[in-house]
Amino acid sequence: MTVEESELPGVGKKHVVELNGEQLVIVTHNTGKREVFRRPDSDTDSEKLFELSDDLARTVGTILEGAYFQPVEAEKRETTLPGGILLEWYEVQPGSPLAGTTIGDAHVGRKTGASIVAIERGGATVESPGPDTEIQEGDTLVVTGTSEDCDAFERLLAGEE
């Protein structure tokens, strides 16, 4: 990412940020006001996106910088579907008792009530895997069920049941 800075005599400074072929132009006035423009490429005119006061620009800047909130990756991904059913993703860790077994042989549904609805493996997704589909270490299993079903599945996957 390239950031160019230039003086605007009597006005303030201009920063041009290259963004995937486009440019984001930020003009900081000596008064503190910031104007933000978008330019599809260096040969076209800029389109003004918005203007911020000095205080608001500093607040937005600290938010973008991460001073207000630093995102963290959740240990567990889950989505709640209508009716309270969960859709969760579980990685098959080395040594999991499910690694090397087929979905049918693991009896996931009978033992936990949960269902494996997809498998993410090597950048590809196996949709609606059948009972003959082998579970492998490193697979990410997409599982649906109630909260209790998913908890039971997690224990089965970890070899705690």
Side-chain angles (χ1 to χ4, degrees), residues 77-81 85-89 117 142-145 150:
R77 293 184 289 168
E78 69 176 37
T79 300
T80 304
L81 303 172
I85 300 298
L86 298 179
L87 187 64
E88 295 198 40
W89 287 253
V117 295
V142 184
V143 174
T144 186
C150 290

Side-chain angles (χ1 to χ4, degrees), residues 46-64:
S46 297
E47 169 192 356
K48 185 174 182 178
L49 297 175
F50 56 87
E51 181 179 310
L52 301 171
S53 69
D54 185 47
D55 287 342
L56 186 54
R58 290 177 190 279
T59 301
V60 171
T62 58
I63 291 169
L64 292 172

Side-chain angles (χ1 to χ4, degrees), residues 1-6 14-19 24-26:
M1 176 176 70
T2 304
V3 179
E4 295 177 20
E5 179 182 305
S6 58
K14 177 174 85 174
H15 292 90
V16 178
V17 180
E18 295 289 335
L19 298 172
L24 188 67
V25 180
I26 303 160

Side-chain angles (χ1 to χ4, degrees), residues 2-76:
T2 304
V3 179
E4 295 177 20
E5 179 182 305
S6 58
E7 294 286 333
L8 296 175
V11 177
K13 285 197 175 198
K14 177 174 85 174
H15 292 90
V16 178
V17 180
E18 295 289 335
L19 298 172
N20 301 323
E22 292 188 333
Q23 294 180 330
L24 188 67
V25 180
I26 303 160
V27 176
T28 304
H29 292 257
N30 291 330
T31 61
K33 175 178 85 173
R34 272 75 157 187
E35 293 178 294
V36 180
F37 301 86
R38 176 184 158 269
R39 190 165 39 195
D41 60 61
S42 60
D43 296 330
T44 59
D45 291 334
S46 297
E47 169 192 356
K48 185 174 182 178
L49 297 175
F50 56 87
E51 181 179 310
L52 301 171
S53 69
D54 185 47
D55 287 342
L56 186 54
R58 290 177 190 279
T59 301
V60 171
T62 58
I63 291 169
L64 292 172
E65 185 181 57
Y68 277 81
F69 172 72
Q70 182 64 45
V72 293
E73 186 172 333
E75 284 183 29
K76 190 162 110 175

